[in-house]
Amino acid sequence: MATATVSAANVPVAAVEHPLRNPNYRLWLTGGTISLLGDQFYFVALPWLVLQQTGSAVAMGAIMMAGAIPRALLMLMGGAVSDRMSARKIMMATATARTICVTVIGVLVWLRILRIWELYALAVAFGVADAFGVPAQSAYMPSLVKREQMVAASSVSQSTAQLTTIVGPIPAGFVIKALGLAWAFFVDAISFLFIIGALWKLPDPPKPQTARKAMLHSIGEGIAYVVKDVPLRSLMLLILALNFCIAGPGSIGLAYLTKTKFGSPADFGIVISAFAAGSLLGALLAGVWKIRRRGVMILLVSIVLGICLGSIGLLGKVWSIAGVLMIMGVTAGLINIHIGAWIMQRIDLAVRGRVASVLMLASFGIAPISLAVAGFLVAWSLKMMFLLAGGLMVLAATGAAFQKAVREIE
């Protein structure tokens, strides 16, 4: 339920200071941007390494599932912990753990002694870190800015994040091609040091003075909050369906497509960057385009995403695939900003971490199933996997259009 009585739309534009004038937000943004830039090297290197080691889309899906399962199982606990403890310290701990993990993998690749089980271990470690770090990040960022600055701050953060996914994958592909896969992991490890340094200097977020309850009771409160809020619950169900359609095909399908059709990590970087470029444009558009009927926009964009996703299976050129992914990026970037800002404005501070973890479970919890299904569908028919995923996404959006609570989201 929404408890605030003043919306961001009612605040005069001249009275709202831009979040970039806030030194704490700028420090957070700088450290996070550098870390995200390093992550792009990891995102290109890992699937390429798995395919190089095994040549199997099923194996790649299994390794991604190894990270997705603990992420889903522990996400609600991570949200509850972030409401109890310092979200800043949780993020520092998870970033440190990631640094150690990718450094170890980089060394093993460099020495040519890497075994496949170690990639499973890396995926599990990252999944556990995500389960605690992602809810903590969602709970922490709003504490750096005012409520009426949330849309602008979300737009800047998302735009910057998308910029890193434009800038990062192409050089990552060429670095891997020229220097080897180990260097991608080393770059990612170094980049984590910047976010750790930024968090070290930033203040802890304020915590509401509430009685501490049992962990399961705290998790239950977060779930109950979402269940009772009809628009929030309806939106979560739509997000669940959309993420099932796109998680596996986007992660496994694109990597397998570029590996088998084009055979170059540089081409893989190009298609990822195309999606990121579109997402950047969509995020920037969200910062200036005031959309009143967000629910209708979400439904229309979901249908467009489904059509584009299905068409990838029919395309055979890098430029055409990149073009479709850019369109998908624009639409996805636009709705991600508005959905994220709407949710953060709507939920209470005292349960922000727990509610965020419930909503993220809709994204991450379905990923293991989506990855498993996509892995087997790719082995059967790459084209049919994309067509089925796109068609199911269109059906999910069409079904959600009959939900008044979704259509009337403002």
Side-chain angles (χ1 to χ4, degrees):
M1 296 177 293
T3 58
T5 58
V6 180
S7 70
N10 294 328
V11 180
V13 175
V16 180
E17 183 182 50
H18 197 279
L20 285 176
R21 293 181 178 273
N22 183 328
N24 285 338
Y25 178 75
R26 288 200 307 269
L27 181 60
W28 156 269
L29 185 68
T30 302
T33 299
I34 296 173
S35 178
L36 286 171
L37 184 61
D39 286 345
Q40 304 314 310
F41 284 72
Y42 170 85
F43 292 144
V44 174
L46 181 62
W48 209 260
L49 178 60
V50 174
L51 289 174
Q52 189 179 80
Q53 293 277 104
T54 66
S56 169
V58 175
M60 184 168 64
I63 288 175
M64 291 184 175
M65 282 179 60
I69 290 172
R71 185 185 302 123
L73 292 177
L74 299 175
M75 184 66 70
L76 295 179
M77 181 182 294
V81 170
S82 67
D83 282 337
R84 289 167 172 246
M85 299 175 57
S86 165
R88 181 183 68 90
K89 292 176 182 175
I90 293 172
M91 287 185 289
M92 289 179 64
T94 56
T96 301
R98 290 168 184 265
T99 305
I100 295 171
C101 288
V102 293
T103 301
V104 170
I105 293 298
V107 170
L108 294 175
V109 173
W110 178 268
L111 297 176
R112 301 182 183 228
I113 57 174
L114 179 75
R115 292 165 291 182
I116 195 67
W117 72 263
E118 289 156 344
L119 291 178
Y120 280 97
L122 173 68
V124 170
F126 265 51
V128 174
D130 282 343
F132 291 90
V134 174
Q137 178 176 319
S138 295
Y140 183 68
M141 197 277 275
S143 72
L144 297 176
V145 297
K146 298 176 182 178
R147 182 180 181 276
E148 61 269 18
Q149 296 175 318
M150 275 302 303
V151 172
S154 296
S155 179
V156 171
S157 298
Q158 185 72 18
S159 299
T160 306
Q162 294 303 331
L163 185 60
T164 65
T165 58
I166 296 170
V167 175
I170 294 177
F174 283 107
V175 165
I176 292 169
K177 188 174 182 180
L179 302 177
L181 284 160
W183 278 99
F185 293 99
F186 293 147
V187 169
D188 192 28
I190 294 170
S191 72
F192 279 121
L193 301 179
F194 289 87
I195 187 59
I196 293 171
L199 290 167
W200 186 272
K201 295 183 178 181
L202 287 169
D204 278 322
K207 288 291 181 185
Q209 298 298 318
T210 56
R212 179 159 293 192
K213 301 174 183 177
M215 180 67 69
L216 289 178
H217 189 277
S218 296
I219 293 173
E221 285 184 337
I223 297 173
Y225 190 100
V226 175
V227 171
K228 291 177 182 178
D229 190 320
V230 177
L232 198 60
R233 182 186 68 215
S234 301
L235 184 60
M236 185 193 72
L237 293 175
L238 176 60
I239 292 171
L240 181 71
L242 296 182
N243 276 285
F244 172 76
C245 295
I246 205 167
S251 299
I252 297 175
L254 287 177
Y256 192 81
L257 176 65
T258 52
K259 175 71 174 177
T260 54
K261 276 198 173 184
F262 311 120
S264 170
D267 287 332
F268 184 39
I270 288 171
V271 297
I272 294 176
S273 291
F275 181 84
S279 298
L280 173 60
L281 181 59
L284 292 172
L285 184 62
V288 297
W289 184 14
K290 306 302 180 184
I291 298 174
R292 294 186 178 181
R293 301 194 66 184
R294 286 173 172 168
V296 174
M297 180 203 66
I298 291 167
L299 293 169
L300 292 175
V301 166
S302 299
I303 292 173
V304 173
L305 282 171
I307 294 171
C308 290
L309 182 63
S311 70
I312 293 175
L314 305 175
L315 303 175
K317 302 291 185 181
V318 172
W319 66 267
S320 58
I321 295 171
V324 168
L325 287 170
M326 181 171 287
I327 295 172
M328 292 179 67
V330 172
T331 53
L334 180 64
I335 63 170
N336 283 341
I337 292 298
H338 282 283
I339 289 176
W342 179 79
I343 289 173
M344 287 299 108
Q345 290 169 346
R346 190 173 183 85
I347 60 181
D348 295 333
L349 173 63
V351 294
R352 183 172 284 160
R354 282 167 284 174
V355 172
S357 69
V358 174
L359 297 173
M360 288 172 191
L361 190 59
S363 299
F364 296 125
I366 200 66
I369 301 173
S370 179
L371 290 166
V373 172
F376 285 105
L377 286 178
V378 166
W380 170 52
S381 171
L382 183 66
K383 180 186 296 185
M384 287 304 299
M385 182 207 65
F386 281 113
L387 289 172
L388 289 172
L392 186 58
M393 185 179 290
V394 172
L395 288 175
T398 303
F402 291 96
Q403 298 292 320
K404 185 178 179 181
V406 176
R407 295 196 310 270
E408 295 185 351
I409 289 176
E410 297 292 338

